[in-house]
Amino acid sequence: MEYNHKDIESRWQNYWRDNKVYKTALDTTRPKFYVLDMFPYPSGAGLHVGHPLGYIASDIYSRYKRLRGFNVLHPMGYDAYGLPAEQYAIQTGQHPEKTTTDNIARYRQQLDRIGFCYDWDREVRTCDPKFYKWTQWAFMKMVESYYDTELDKAQPISKLVEHFEKEGSKGIHAACSEELDFTADEWKAMSEKEKSDTLMNYRIAYLGNTMVNWCPQLGTVLANDEVSEGLSIRGGYPVEQKLMYQWCLRVSAYAQRLLDGLNDLDWTDSLKETQRNWIGRSEGAEMRFPIVGSDIELEIFTTRADTVFGVTFMVMAPESEYVDKVTTPEQRKAVDEYLESIKHKTERERMIDKKVSGVFTGSYAVNPLTGKEIPIWISDYVLAGYGTGAIMAVPAHDSRDYAFARHFDLPIVPLIEGCDVSEESFEAKSGKMINSASADFSLNGLEVPEAIAATKKYIAEKGIGKVKVNYRLRDAIFSRQRYWGEPFPVYYKDGIPHLMDESSLPLLLPEVDKYLPTETGEPPLGRAKNWVTPEGYPIELNTMPGFAGSSAYYLRYMDPDNNEALVSKEADEYWRNVDLYIGGTEHATGHLIYSRFWNKFLYDLGYVVEPEPFKKLINQGMIQGRTNFVYRIKDTNTFVSLGLKDQYDTTPIRVDVNRVSNDVLDLDAFRAWRPEFKDAEFILEDGKYVCGWAVEKMSKSMFNVVNPDDIVERYGADTLRLYEMFLGPIEQSKPWDTNGIDGVNRFIKKLWGLYYKGDQCFVDDSKPSAEALKAVHKLIKKVTGDIETFSYNTSVAAFMICVNELSSLKCHSREVLEPLVIVLAPFAPHVAEELWHTALGHDTTVNDAKWPEWNEEYLKENTANYAVSFNGKARFTIQVPADMPKDEVEKLALSHESSAKWLEGKSVKKIIVVPNKIVNIVVG
RNA sequence: GCUCGAAUGGUGGAAUGGUAGACACGAAGGACUUAAAAUCCUUUGGUCAUUGCGACCGUGCGGGUUCAAGUCCCGCUUCGAGCACCA
């Protein structure tokens, strides 16, 4: 029997499927282990060779854990709502559901060919009503909750209502959009609409008038993580800031818990750091500056409380609500003109344009420490959304304030001894304070950190301000003006939003004639007929964003068919949370934040038992494309090989990588590729056409997409799996390079040759030699250690070494060949399964085998090699019996004939013997 | 600007502070073959030496700790990632 990957792989894939070999059930007698891949968005392009990288890694780990006796949950599903399907629908009129279903079918086919051990009975699709019922359900729970800042958890909104009834807003501790102040009587006197609006200020999912990222080209709002440098991540269209009435999630209330939770997670430092940056905690002080001739106080946030004595002016954001209140009649015209000029700029223009601009309001504030009057300005370098939307300007110690002061000729007061502010600001947080004293308070002579602490204490005592922590993390905007997403279970009665009854879930996505906004600018759901409740009230027209469906999907896999709960108590208590999560870094500030938030919310309400969803997380690197080039001599149809191209004037042209093998162009395939190359001529080197190459993003337009199907067809899934792991550490990004895959394929054939030659099976029950036992036990030890640390590339190398040793030893003993198959099974399951059954004669599947333990006895050496070195420079090697005591090794090393010349005229100061490694003789 | 990470042959990459370059690709030479493919064997960091041995230099750069540094410490350079008018 020759190794025939097509026959072996299709046979076993069918067997696994028909016998539901990978079906997982809740089994409290066995320890659980939950291994999860980030589920893919099923795009029209299908899988390329980069996608399976993480899936293979998690598959290996799942199979390994299973062989170790764990009950492994390893599911897969689809993040099926998304913009591409909707845009395709707009262009073609094809229902997004149709394209999505087709794409999923294609993905499934591609995934199946690689031989993954998913339990497909647990598949979820975010666009499936059975699934999105629970997305809508969680949203409703968020609407019905507020965040108690004292208990530090979500609470039912009814508790807050009770409090309002009794004491109004006095003494509440609830996260809110803005501080409100009302009495119980005022609350009771509110209209239904006013009450609704008031409660929106506290709900965890709330309707709010907020600055949103509006993308006109996409026709929808976007969350902060969907925007980068003022452009939409999808499509790269400009994004503007716009005040809109939108559903939001009060993620900011969870900022501190999201930050603290990171400490206990087994994630990479860089990913945790990314999340910490995104949450952006900064400790400082909030201070009030009274405005001259008014009872308004301007509130600011600063991390540099020590610099208050250097505040020479104040600046507020153009969008600040105080702008109107402090602008004097004389300055009104100038201010209006300035606001108008800002309004026309997009967010991106504002970011790029670093020119200093601003306008004086005409009003003055009082510096609470110096008592001096300072002017209040407006400038767009102050952001409305962060802190209080106003700042105290310290030009001597902040570069932005410095630039502003210089431009408008405002005073600059240095506060740190010896600093030079004639050219630029001094921003270092060190040095001794100067110029910082009033009648009853002085910071002079203190170091900066001491001064910060002293000022915080002082302002708190004086009632001027208080210590405050600010976060960069904003609430997530939860509405999208799109069709292809979850509808909100919300209807409007007299303009007041109401939740639908829980029993009416899921609220099904309605049919529409077109997937575009309506003529009046309403979202696509505005086209739906009868989009009203049975009572005739209109239903919300927005849909939920992509992250809604992906925030709790890992919980649904635990209990996918449950129609009574997101996940049953029993299933949740058994599976708990994800032990190992594998996916890309691109979700660091999106999905991985939202999911943690969502989980913490459900945890607060008692629906889940674990406060964190993903215990350990591995980020697989991106597989980049490796583009091949051919070089056409200008104005001809002649192509010159890489090594000779410098002799001609050439144009590099990207060539389909599938027509190139090991950088050598297949000439006929190239001629057949496109009509214009039909008559191409070639200048070869050594009879070959060698292509150039470059690393680029893997994409159709670069002609560098490699489809896993082609690799599986040619070499088999086992070769693909081993090769992807062999490329390098999984965390690392690397270009896909088909060069080298032959080496892995050769390994599998060589392995096969240990068991079979022609039709003859070699496996016998003979006693293996010590060398053979050693080879395989070394392998077991190495692979066991490697799997736990995800060093799969060195495991593959270990397999190669072991098989090479066994074939040169001509070892065919079952005692050696059986454990070899078991440890190989996670990596190359098809060939392992085949050998397990046919060559080794088992009738169970290799998945039910027991992971072998290595025996240290077999690994013992009977001789030990020592490198003998003098002052750290290795000079020669000695071989001694393994159990020779240290002092004898020393003696032997010193008496070796080669030692004489190193010892000549010198004395031995010290001898260091590292077992099996080195004898270092220190001479001097 | 702040934060984090990385840098090792022609290439991808190995190395608990202990003989750097495992394993693989590529390349060169050889065996088998009419020939090619496939397969197998040998060589492959550099320089010099070489029908014997060898010798010296080598992990981005400059210092340091150590008997011993790719690995630890300090200071740079370059590349990558995250955040960024965030006060």
Side-chain angles (χ1 to χ4, degrees):
Chain A
M1 230 186 331
E2 285 304 307
Y3 172 65
N4 177 344
H5 66 261
K6 284 186 196 173
D7 174 49
I8 292 170
E9 291 177 359
S10 66
R11 191 141 39 81
W12 286 108
Q13 283 166 11
N14 290 340
Y15 178 88
W16 294 334
R17 190 189 53 235
D18 296 344
N19 293 282
K20 292 210 185 280
V21 166
Y22 301 120
K23 187 164 172 58
T24 313
L26 199 155
D27 174 3
T28 49
T29 64
R30 281 193 297 160
K32 70 98 186 186
F33 203 91
Y34 188 175
V35 181
L36 183 63
D37 292 299
M38 287 186 189
F39 63 169
Y41 172 77
S43 84
L47 289 175
H48 68 61
V49 97
H51 294 106
L53 185 73
Y55 305 158
I56 294 169
S58 67
D59 196 68
I60 291 172
Y61 202 79
S62 302
R63 288 172 181 272
Y64 166 73
K65 276 288 176 186
R66 185 172 166 156
L67 289 167
R68 280 285 193 173
F70 286 87
N71 187 22
V72 177
L73 177 59
H74 186 45
M76 184 46 111
Y78 304 95
D79 187 13
Y81 276 133
L83 205 47
E86 175 152 342
Q87 285 179 327
Y88 189 73
I90 291 169
Q91 286 159 21
T92 62
Q94 174 120 242
H95 197 292
E97 181 147 22
K98 168 88 173 78
T99 28
T100 303
T101 311
D102 291 351
N103 291 346
I104 286 176
R106 168 115 190 269
Y107 265 59
R108 175 65 192 275
Q109 207 174 18
Q110 286 185 296
L111 289 170
D112 279 348
R113 292 197 68 186
I114 304 172
F116 293 122
C117 63
Y118 296 121
D119 176 0
W120 284 106
D121 289 350
R122 291 175 184 264
E123 181 197 294
V124 300
R125 301 177 183 193
T126 54
C127 65
D128 180 349
K130 290 204 297 290
F131 181 91
Y132 70 65
K133 169 177 176 176
W134 300 103
T135 310
Q136 293 171 335
W137 170 84
F139 165 79
M140 285 173 57
K141 292 289 162 200
M142 289 182 196
V143 173
E144 290 168 337
S145 304
Y146 77 101
Y147 194 86
D148 187 311
T149 53
E150 197 152 82
L151 297 172
D152 237 338
K153 61 192 284 198
Q155 293 287 302
I157 195 87
S158 54
K159 272 188 151 184
L160 202 58
V161 174
E162 251 171 65
H163 187 112
F164 291 161
E165 299 276 346
K166 277 187 226 143
E167 298 172 62
S169 66
K170 193 160 173 278
I172 57 162
H173 14 79
C176 58
S177 306
E178 58 177 314
E179 300 283 349
L180 298 179
D181 197 8
F182 53 87
T183 63
D185 289 339
E186 282 170 328
W187 165 258
K188 286 176 201 153
M190 283 183 196
S191 68
E192 201 191 340
K193 170 86 175 121
E194 282 165 339
K195 278 185 177 167
S196 167
D197 289 348
T198 304
L199 287 174
M200 281 299 175
N201 189 49
Y202 302 97
R203 295 181 193 273
I204 287 184
Y206 63 94
L207 262 173
N209 243 330
T210 47
M211 276 292 172
V212 299
N213 304 302
W214 170 255
C215 181
Q217 271 85 347
L218 294 177
T220 185
V221 300
L222 297 169
N224 274 1
D225 65 287
E226 294 169 320
V227 180
S228 176
E229 294 181 13
L231 299 176
S232 67
I233 299 257
R234 262 196 202 283
Y237 303 115
V239 169
E240 30 186 85
Q241 295 297 301
K242 198 170 160 185
L243 202 62
M244 281 177 81
Y245 199 54
Q246 299 282 303
W247 283 104
C248 301
L249 302 186
R250 206 175 298 283
V251 181
S252 62
Y254 284 80
Q256 190 60 46
R257 280 169 67 192
L258 290 170
L259 193 60
D260 293 341
L262 289 172
N263 297 332
D264 305 323
L265 295 177
D266 188 3
W267 293 13
T268 60
D269 289 336
S270 78
L271 188 68
K272 287 189 194 180
E273 201 56 35
T274 300
Q275 289 213 342
R276 288 193 187 107
N277 278 339
W278 186 257
I279 295 167
R281 178 190 160 101
S282 64
E283 292 178 28
E286 210 165 63
M287 238 182 280
R288 289 188 303 278
F289 283 60
I291 292 171
V292 177
S294 154
D295 52 2
I296 307 172
E297 289 184 313
L298 202 52
E299 208 164 28
I300 58 93
F301 173 78
T302 180
T303 54
R304 293 293 303 272
D306 58 312
T307 59
V308 183
F309 286 98
V311 176
T312 52
F313 58 99
M314 306 198 66
V315 191
M316 54 175 65
E319 297 86 0
S320 169
E321 53 176 323
Y322 290 105
V323 163
D324 242 15
K325 297 176 187 164
V326 302
T327 301
T328 58
E330 305 81 67
Q331 286 299 101
R332 173 64 62 187
K333 189 160 172 276
V335 169
D336 286 347
E337 276 169 15
Y338 182 67
L339 296 184
E340 194 57 29
S341 75
I342 295 289
K343 225 169 134 186
H344 287 301
K345 284 201 253 178
T346 64
E347 184 68 3
R348 183 157 176 81
E349 282 166 347
R350 265 171 80 164
M351 280 167 120
I352 290 168
D353 186 7
K354 303 262 176 181
K355 265 196 288 219
V356 178
S357 71
V359 66
F360 179 45
T361 59
S363 288
Y364 292 82
V366 180
N367 183 324
L369 295 196
T370 62
K372 279 188 191 143
E373 293 190 1
I374 50 175
I376 303 172
W377 288 69
I378 298 168
S379 175
D380 67 347
Y381 83 85
V382 175
L383 302 178
Y386 184 76
T388 59
I391 61 151
M392 60 176 215
V394 187
H397 302 288
D398 182 286
S399 62
R400 297 152 300 176
D401 298 345
Y402 185 89
F404 196 81
R406 272 295 158 105
H407 190 262
F408 291 107
D409 206 18
L410 294 159
I412 297 169
V413 181
L415 299 171
I416 291 172
E417 199 173 73
C419 72
D420 175 15
V421 294
S422 59
E423 292 298 327
E424 56 179 7
S425 61
F426 180 85
E427 304 204 28
K429 290 188 180 181
S430 64
K432 279 201 166 54
M433 305 298 298
I434 53 166
N435 297 334
S436 301
S438 65
D440 61 342
F441 182 58
S442 172
L443 296 170
N444 288 341
L446 295 180
E447 285 290 323
V448 169
E450 297 168 347
I452 292 176
T455 315
K456 279 182 181 170
K457 189 158 168 265
Y458 180 78
I459 58 167
E461 281 166 6
K462 288 274 170 179
I464 305 166
K466 61 179 184 195
V467 173
K468 166 101 191 198
V469 177
N470 243 322
Y471 300 91
R472 206 190 68 93
L473 184 71
R474 306 293 164 78
D475 287 349
I477 298 154
F478 202 62
S479 304
R480 295 293 181 275
Q481 292 68 40
R482 287 201 214 142
Y483 174 71
W484 192 229
E486 300 87 348
F488 282 83
V490 169
Y491 63 92
Y492 293 86
K493 190 170 154 188
D494 305 326
I496 299 167
H498 290 270
L499 287 178
M500 289 183 175
D501 195 81
E502 210 174 297
S503 63
S504 69
L505 295 185
L507 172 64
L508 297 177
L509 184 64
E511 293 302 324
V512 291
D513 56 344
K514 275 191 225 163
Y515 304 98
L516 287 168
T518 64
E519 280 66 33
T520 53
E522 284 178 331
L525 290 193
R527 295 177 178 276
K529 291 200 180 73
N530 296 321
W531 191 231
V532 292
T533 61
E535 298 78 27
Y537 298 117
I539 300 176
E540 170 75 51
L541 299 180
N542 286 299
T543 55
M544 297 187 193
F547 70 80
S550 61
S551 285
Y553 76 111
Y554 58 92
L555 291 168
R556 194 62 186 157
Y557 283 133
M558 297 175 184
D559 197 5
D561 299 317
N562 192 333
N563 201 32
E564 305 306 314
L566 167 62
V567 51
S568 71
K569 205 88 208 136
E570 190 195 14
D572 182 56
E573 274 170 7
Y574 179 68
W575 296 111
R576 308 190 76 83
N577 58 4
V578 177
D579 294 284
L580 175 67
Y581 197 24
I582 296 190
T585 10
E586 67 273 20
H587 298 109
T589 57
H591 161 61
L592 288 174
I593 292 261
Y594 298 127
S595 229
R596 293 182 62 219
F597 154 76
W598 204 283
N599 187 86
K600 283 181 187 301
F601 171 75
L602 294 175
Y603 173 79
D604 286 353
L605 267 56
Y607 291 110
V608 301
V609 288
E610 290 285 348
E612 286 286 343
F614 314 118
K615 262 197 276 198
K616 183 177 175 68
L617 189 139
I618 300 262
N619 284 121
Q620 96 272 24
M622 291 251 273
I623 296 261
Q624 296 136 312
R626 190 177 185 278
T627 313
N628 274 116
F629 291 94
V630 292
Y631 302 93
R632 177 158 65 185
I633 300 173
K634 283 219 170 106
D635 306 322
T636 68
N637 205 9
T638 302
F639 296 82
V640 58
S641 183
L642 177 68
L644 306 170
K645 82 177 169 72
D646 293 343
Q647 298 165 22
Y648 303 87
D649 187 10
T650 59
T651 319
I653 296 172
R654 286 192 182 80
V655 60
D656 181 359
V657 287
N658 298 299
R659 286 157 211 272
V660 177
S661 168
N662 284 5
D663 290 337
V664 176
L665 184 68
D666 181 333
L667 303 184
D668 292 332
F670 179 71
R671 287 198 182 100
W673 186 32
R674 295 192 159 179
E676 68 259 42
F677 300 139
K678 193 162 67 83
D679 303 315
E681 303 279 338
F682 302 95
I683 300 175
L684 308 177
E685 52 183 317
D686 304 328
K688 288 180 295 196
Y689 188 98
V690 181
C691 300
W693 60 274
V695 174
E696 295 176 306
K697 189 176 153 34
M698 194 173 275
S699 89
K700 269 186 177 169
S701 61
M702 309 284 189
F703 305 113
N704 60 9
V705 174
V706 181
N707 185 328
D709 294 347
D710 296 340
I711 305 285
V712 169
E713 177 69 21
R714 182 152 170 214
Y715 297 97
D718 288 332
T719 297
L720 173 75
R721 293 168 61 107
L722 284 166
Y723 186 58
E724 291 222 6
M725 293 302 101
F726 187 61
L727 274 175
I730 49 168
E731 300 94 331
Q732 205 165 297
S733 286
K734 56 228 154 190
W736 173 262
D737 184 355
T738 311
N739 300 352
I741 198 166
D742 291 323
V744 175
N745 194 234
R746 262 196 285 271
F747 154 74
I748 293 188
K749 287 181 185 158
K750 212 182 265 183
L751 169 92
W752 187 261
L754 278 180
Y755 297 80
Y756 286 109
K757 183 144 198 173
D759 278 341
Q760 195 193 347
C761 177
F762 285 125
V763 180
D764 58 42
D765 289 322
S766 63
K767 188 77 198 142
S769 67
E771 288 98 328
L773 278 170
K774 190 172 154 185
V776 81
H777 282 254
K778 212 161 68 183
L779 175 77
I780 297 166
K781 185 177 180 176
K782 173 82 179 134
V783 172
T784 306
D786 280 350
I787 288 184
E788 294 292 355
T789 57
F790 302 93
S791 309
Y792 297 141
N793 55 334
T794 53
S795 287
V796 179
F799 282 117
M800 291 176 176
I801 295 167
C802 179
V803 166
N804 274 338
E805 282 176 11
L806 294 181
S807 46
S808 65
L809 291 168
K810 303 214 178 340
C811 170
H812 302 292
S813 163
R814 171 183 295 274
E815 193 178 337
V816 164
L817 296 181
E818 193 162 293
L820 173 60
V821 165
I822 300 173
V823 295
L824 182 70
F827 295 83
H830 309 87
V831 69
E833 194 82 272
E834 176 74 12
L835 292 171
W836 183 254
H837 279 260
T838 59
L840 295 166
H842 292 280
D843 50 13
T844 54
T845 124
V846 70
N847 300 286
D848 294 330
K850 196 165 169 291
W851 186 263
E853 298 291 336
W854 71 89
N855 186 338
E856 286 286 346
E857 283 299 310
Y858 296 141
L859 299 179
K860 274 202 181 141
E861 304 275 347
N862 41 24
T863 58
N865 285 308
Y866 285 89
V868 181
S869 78
F870 293 87
N871 291 354
K873 292 273 176 192
R875 300 300 166 179
F876 57 89
T877 308
I878 54 173
Q879 198 177 57
V880 301
D883 51 0
M884 183 182 267
K886 270 191 181 183
D887 53 338
E888 278 185 51
V889 175
E890 285 174 19
K891 261 184 241 164
L892 208 69
L894 285 170
S895 61
H896 193 276
E897 54 180 81
S898 303
S899 296
K901 59 179 175 178
W902 299 104
L903 296 169
E904 208 173 304
K906 291 178 181 123
S907 61
V908 175
K909 289 192 167 163
K910 202 163 145 194
I911 302 181
I912 294 142
V913 179
V914 180
N916 261 316
K917 290 279 186 177
I918 201 161
V919 181
N920 194 17
I921 302 165
V922 184
V923 294

